[in-house]
């Protein structure tokens, strides 16, 4: 019999830490790594080019930036949910995006996924914290979901065969859409079934992105039913290349044959069964298949170069084998977004399980024979008709069923949206009981038309909301400084930058605490091409917070206006975030004297962090002290939230020496 139960997993883990207290007004910092050169874009098929250009994120709002983690790991207990039958044991992390941590095949004793032995956040999600390994559910926009390290709602539901099923669901805030992921193991099945549904409850079309991301050991061959792929590297190109052997004579279906990090989006012909597999030297491994709406398949490789090896080590612990990613998505590439009509939904079914093919054929040079052999094995283990039938049964009999036993709680944002919009979402309830402190000010605005002012003149650091209905309510609410601050954030997100600036400037006139508004104006200056003015505003924001913190009777933390005069942690958090922005802005306009003065006013805890050691090296170079900048590198530091594709370490190193960049700082993901 299939069972679903709670359990605990103990891993060496780095704490997530607090979210950044500043509103995320800018687009994802790593967006450039996934960009396509305009000249390349003009040469692509028209529908692909439209999908790539569809509704790019203007900012990360309303999601927070998650950059409070470090790199010191200690044993920690992670809540899990285990789904198990006689053939498979599936371990899910409901508090970390619903990630499938492990897929263990009991008859053979094999782990089918790459299972990370540690929990180490790194800056790969759209909003920061992400971790590697297992199967993740990416929704929102190009990249890893902003829910990578966030809790999802979880409960048991009746599966189509009458057994227990695990339902995960949440309200994705970047695109303002609810979704669900249903996981179940039919009795005696070697395959995990996963039903996914994304709904658009609004009266407008919505851009939709989905990729199921599966980590597998990198010493595999990856096969999919395609003779060509769209290759995307970190040089911002996108070109159609043959599979498996590219023009340079290299078989790219073996991850270890690539030197640099790259994406290979397989161009699956219409009408062919959708699947992708990763096989070891014995011809055994993991296969993922789906119903036809999940069109895309992809291989991501880190490559064997120094940068790729360093990233692999960075995401786990030394001595751990490397991994690659096989993925499945709604579009041909991860650079595209689809349109979901008002009131409509996307839904499909995926299946994950073991595969055993003839190694001589599946790993041989005859690509057609290799694919055919894997497809025959898949058809014998799980016929295409069985997947289609399972989808129909799930969608008609189970997808709308009400949850039974609640196993974990997500956020209260879905409950707030249901309360505001009166949405009917069978199967994914967002009850008012899940509303919490973050939602309470907005619930008050909805009830009374007034956004509550912070107590005792504290900063207005409630979590923002930016969707048009909330913006409309803010526009008609009494125009106090806290409301003008939130209104400006919503206007900024909508693309009305001039009006946002006006709202923030109005708020400044009566604000007792000025630094949040000054910070927003500084970002506006920088985004609008006024770096000198931005540096002034960032510095003024830091100074105002410094003065406010010194004399305040209350302290501010992320998303709250709490605590008392001894809340040093909240004050240090804001000072660190503002100081980092101000120093970066001052160095960008070559003002090392002012940057040095501000450096000395930072909290001691901030100056010890790796991100600030990097700023210190930049500052020393700006002061024409290259030997001391070199000494910072020689002493060693780690920037915990170094972004995917970041090249700043190598660029700085080359400014004071011609020596080879040490391995510890080599994170470049493209050819030098």
């Amino acid at each position: 019999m299939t069972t679903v139960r709670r359990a605990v997993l103990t891993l060496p883990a780095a704490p997530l830490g607090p979210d950044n207290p500043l509103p995320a007004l800018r687009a994802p910092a790593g967006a450039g790594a996934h960009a396509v050169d305009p000249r390349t874009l003009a040469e692509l098929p028209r529908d692909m080019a439209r999908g790539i250009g569809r509704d790019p994120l203007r900012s990360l709002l309303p999601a927070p930036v998650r950059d409070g983690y470090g790199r010191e790991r200690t044993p920690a207990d992670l809540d899990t949910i285990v789904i198990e039958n006689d053939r498979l044991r599936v371990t899910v992390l409901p508090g970390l995006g619903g990630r499938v941590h492990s897929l263990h095949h009991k008859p053979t004793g094999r782990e089918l996924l790459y299972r990370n032995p540690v929990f180490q956040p790194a800056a790969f999600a759209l909003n920061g914290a992400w971790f590697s390994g297992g199967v993740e559910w990416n929704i929102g926009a190009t990249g890893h979901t902003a829910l990578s390290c966030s809790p999802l709602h979880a409960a048991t539901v009746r599966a189509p065969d009458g057994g227990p099923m695990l339902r995960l669901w949440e309200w994705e805030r970047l695109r303002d859409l609810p979704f669900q992921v249903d996981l179940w193991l039919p009795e005696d099945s070697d395959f995990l079934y996963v039903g996914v549904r994304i709904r658009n409850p609004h009266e407008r079309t919505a851009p939709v992105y989905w990729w199921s991301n599966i980590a597998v050991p990198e010493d595999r061959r990856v096969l999919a039913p395609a003779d060509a792929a769209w290759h995307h590297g970190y040089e911002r190109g996108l070109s159609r290349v043959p599979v498996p052997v590219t023009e340079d004579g290299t078989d790219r279906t073996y991850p270890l044959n690539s030197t640099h990090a790259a994406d290979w989006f397989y161009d699956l012909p219409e009408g062919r069964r959708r699947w992708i597999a990763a096989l070891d030297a014995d011809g055994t491994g993991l296969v993922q298949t789906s119903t036809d709406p999940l069109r895309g398949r992809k291989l991501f490789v880190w490559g064997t170069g120094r940068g790729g090896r360093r990233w692999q080590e960075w995401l786990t612990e030394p001595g751990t084998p490397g991994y690659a990613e096989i993925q499945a998505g709604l579009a041909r590439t991860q650079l595209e977004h689809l349109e979901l009509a008002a009131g409509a939904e996307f839904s499909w079914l995926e299946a994950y399980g073991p595969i055993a093919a003839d190694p001589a054929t599946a790993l041989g040079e005859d690509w057609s024979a290799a694919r055919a052999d894997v497809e025959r094995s898949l058809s014998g283990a799980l016929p295409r008709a069985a997947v289609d039938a399972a989808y129909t049964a799930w969608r008609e009999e189970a997808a709308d069923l009400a949850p039974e036993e609640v196993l974990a709680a997500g956020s209260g944002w879905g409950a707030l949206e249901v309360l505001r919009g009166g949405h009917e979402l069978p199967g994914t309830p967002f009850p008012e009981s899940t509303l919490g402190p973050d939602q309470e000010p907005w619930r008050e605005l909805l009830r009374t038309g007034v956004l509550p002012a912070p107590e005792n003149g504290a900063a207005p650091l409630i979590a923002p909301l930016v969707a048009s209905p909330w913006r409309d309510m803010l526009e008609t609410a009494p125009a106090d400084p806290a409301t003008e601050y939130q209104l400006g954030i919503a206007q900024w997100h909508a693309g009305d930058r001039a009006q946002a600036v006006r709202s923030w400037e109005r708020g400044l006139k009566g604000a007792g605490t000025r630094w949040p508004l000054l910070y927003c104006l500084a970002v506006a200056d920088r985004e609008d091409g006024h770096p000198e003015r931005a540096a002034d505003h960032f510095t003024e924001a830091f100074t105002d917070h410094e003065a406010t913190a010194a004399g305040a009777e209350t302290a501010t933390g992320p998303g709250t206006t709490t605590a008392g005069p001894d809340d040093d942690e909240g004050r240090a958090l804001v000072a660190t975030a503002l100081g980092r922005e101000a120093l970066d802005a001052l160095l960008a306009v070559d003002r090392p004297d002012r940057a040095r003065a501000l450096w000395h006013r930072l909290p001691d805890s901030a100056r010890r962090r790796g991100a600030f050691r990097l700023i210190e090296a930049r500052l020393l170079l700006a002061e024409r002290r290259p030997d001391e900048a070199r000494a910072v590198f020689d002493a060693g530091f780690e920037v915990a939230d170094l972004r995917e594709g970041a090249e700043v370490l190598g660029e700085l190193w080359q400014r004071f020496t011609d020596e080879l960049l040490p391995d510890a700082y080599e994170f470049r993901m493209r050819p030098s």
Side-chain angles (χ1 to χ4, degrees):
M1 293 291 292
T2 299
T3 60
V4 176
R5 58 183 171 85
R6 291 189 184 94
V8 173
L9 173 69
T10 303
L11 290 178
L16 278 170
D19 292 344
N20 193 303
L22 308 178
L25 300 177
R26 283 167 288 184
H34 303 289
V36 176
D37 184 275
R39 291 170 296 181
T40 301
L41 198 62
E43 299 170 356
L44 298 177
R46 184 174 299 177
D47 62 331
M48 181 180 286
R50 281 199 303 267
I52 292 173
R54 180 172 288 127
D55 294 303
L57 292 179
R58 296 191 183 99
S59 73
L60 283 171
L61 294 166
V65 172
R66 312 204 70 178
D67 60 0
Y69 53 88
R71 294 194 51 80
E72 293 184 6
R73 298 188 289 266
T74 57
D77 292 338
L78 304 178
D79 291 331
T80 69
I81 299 172
V82 177
I83 314 166
E84 189 167 12
N85 67 4
D86 287 342
R87 313 289 295 177
L88 288 173
R89 181 168 62 248
V90 184
T91 304
V92 180
L93 302 172
L96 295 168
R99 181 82 58 101
V100 176
H101 174 73
S102 170
L103 188 59
H104 178 78
H105 188 234
K106 295 161 77 170
T108 60
R110 289 191 291 121
E111 174 59 52
L112 301 181
L113 305 172
Y114 166 78
R115 184 176 56 191
N116 197 332
V118 306
F119 173 69
Q120 176 56 63
F124 277 70
L126 289 164
N127 63 335
W130 170 86
F131 63 106
S132 66
V135 184
E136 60 179 304
W137 318 111
N138 288 308
I139 182 173
T142 300
H144 297 281
T145 177
L147 294 168
S148 291
C149 292
S150 295
L152 304 188
H153 299 282
T156 57
V157 186
R158 288 295 100 189
D161 63 356
M165 177 169 72
L166 171 63
R167 173 162 299 158
L168 305 168
W169 74 100
E170 190 42 284
W171 197 283
E172 201 285 315
R173 300 180 69 206
L174 293 182
R175 299 303 193 183
D176 206 18
L177 300 174
F179 71 99
Q180 71 188 79
V181 180
D182 288 354
L183 304 96
W184 77 100
L185 290 172
E187 191 172 351
D188 298 325
S189 173
D190 280 305
F191 283 82
L192 170 69
Y193 287 178
V194 182
V196 183
R197 175 166 61 172
I198 304 170
R199 287 186 275 199
N200 180 7
H202 308 296
E203 297 179 352
R204 53 171 173 78
T205 60
V208 169
Y209 170 94
W210 181 281
W211 281 79
S212 301
N213 185 350
I214 309 144
V216 294
E218 65 181 352
D219 59 344
R220 300 289 189 266
R221 188 184 202 187
V222 174
L223 299 97
D227 292 310
W230 292 94
H231 169 250
H232 179 257
Y234 287 78
E235 304 87 357
R236 301 188 178 185
L238 185 64
S239 57
R240 198 169 186 269
V241 298
V243 172
V245 179
T246 52
E247 290 89 343
D248 63 358
T250 304
D251 187 340
R252 300 292 180 177
T253 61
Y254 290 89
L256 291 173
N257 282 352
S258 292
T259 304
H260 300 288
D263 301 322
W264 309 87
F265 298 102
Y266 295 113
D267 198 357
L268 275 60
E270 291 294 335
R272 292 293 301 272
R273 185 176 185 181
R274 315 297 196 195
W275 60 270
I276 190 168
L279 305 182
D280 62 18
D282 296 327
T284 60
L286 171 75
V287 65
Q288 187 269 4
T289 188
S290 72
T291 50
D292 289 350
L294 202 65
R295 175 183 185 179
R297 293 298 186 276
K298 170 194 163 181
L299 165 64
F300 167 76
V301 300
W302 283 106
T304 57
R306 294 174 69 227
R309 293 299 92 189
R310 181 62 177 126
W311 274 118
Q312 293 258 31
E313 180 185 66
W314 183 256
L315 296 172
T316 180
E317 60 184 2
T320 302
Y323 75 97
E325 295 170 358
I326 59 175
Q327 304 185 21
L330 285 173
R332 281 168 296 187
T333 73
Q334 286 180 328
L335 311 177
E336 301 166 75
H337 295 71
L338 304 184
E339 281 189 342
L340 182 57
E345 69 174 48
F346 288 138
S347 62
W348 64 91
L349 186 128
E350 306 179 43
Y352 297 77
I355 190 75
D358 173 42
T361 304
L363 307 181
E365 295 183 2
D366 187 334
W367 179 242
S368 295
R371 293 181 324 189
D373 188 66
V374 173
E375 194 148 359
R376 278 193 299 270
S377 297
L378 175 59
S379 295
L382 186 64
R384 182 177 185 176
V387 175
D388 292 338
Y391 165 75
T392 300
W394 167 73
R395 184 61 193 85
E396 295 180 355
E397 302 171 19
D400 286 347
L401 290 179
E404 297 175 356
E405 180 187 1
V406 174
L407 301 176
S411 77
W413 296 113
L416 186 66
E417 291 303 326
V418 168
L419 189 65
R420 181 200 59 76
H423 305 301
E424 297 289 339
L425 300 168
T428 55
F430 294 96
E432 288 191 45
S433 59
T434 61
L435 292 168
D438 282 345
Q439 293 81 43
E440 191 54 39
W442 297 102
R443 187 183 191 183
E444 187 70 9
L445 174 66
L446 183 63
R447 187 179 67 84
T448 67
V450 178
L451 189 68
E455 296 180 2
N456 301 319
L461 288 184
I462 65 171
L465 283 176
V466 295
S468 56
W470 296 104
R471 186 173 72 250
D472 292 344
M473 281 184 267
L474 289 168
E475 287 176 345
T476 58
D480 58 67
T483 302
E484 294 284 14
Y485 169 72
Q486 293 291 344
L487 175 58
I489 291 174
Q491 291 165 332
W492 179 269
H493 176 265
D496 192 351
R497 292 187 171 186
Q499 189 58 55
V501 168
R502 284 192 287 271
S503 294
W504 292 326
E505 288 175 340
R506 284 196 304 268
L508 268 180
K509 294 177 182 178
T513 301
R514 295 163 50 85
W515 66 260
L517 295 145
L518 290 166
Y519 164 78
C520 292
L521 290 170
V523 174
D525 288 333
R526 181 154 60 188
E527 296 295 298
D528 291 341
H530 304 293
E532 297 275 353
R533 198 164 67 201
D536 290 338
H537 270 139
F538 278 125
T539 305
E540 190 180 355
F542 181 87
T543 300
D544 182 78
H545 173 263
E546 191 176 44
T548 302
E553 294 181 356
T554 59
T556 60
T560 62
T561 55
T562 61
D566 297 325
D567 183 16
D568 293 334
E569 183 178 351
R571 289 193 289 271
L573 181 66
V574 176
T576 298
L578 287 173
R580 190 172 180 180
E581 295 278 6
L583 287 168
D584 186 69
L586 289 167
L587 290 174
V589 296
D590 195 24
R591 295 181 181 175
D593 292 346
R594 292 185 61 187
R596 177 60 67 185
L598 193 147
W599 172 267
H600 289 302
R601 293 151 57 194
L602 289 169
D604 291 341
S605 59
R607 287 197 296 264
R608 291 193 296 267
R609 291 177 56 179
F612 284 87
R613 298 297 307 283
L614 175 60
I615 291 174
E616 183 181 16
R618 292 173 57 202
L619 177 55
L620 289 165
L621 282 170
E623 294 171 329
R624 295 177 174 81
R625 298 156 68 185
D627 292 344
E628 293 173 71
R630 167 66 185 264
V632 173
F633 275 74
D634 290 344
F637 63 90
E638 292 183 324
V639 182
D641 60 340
L642 193 70
R643 291 294 313 191
E644 175 185 8
E647 299 180 350
V648 62
L649 294 172
E651 292 169 353
L652 281 182
W653 179 262
Q654 291 172 350
R655 289 180 58 186
F656 52 72
T657 181
D658 293 329
E659 297 175 22
L660 182 68
L661 182 67
D663 287 344
Y665 303 118
E666 180 56 276
F667 290 93
R668 290 173 289 194
M669 300 175 71
R670 60 177 178 171
S672 299

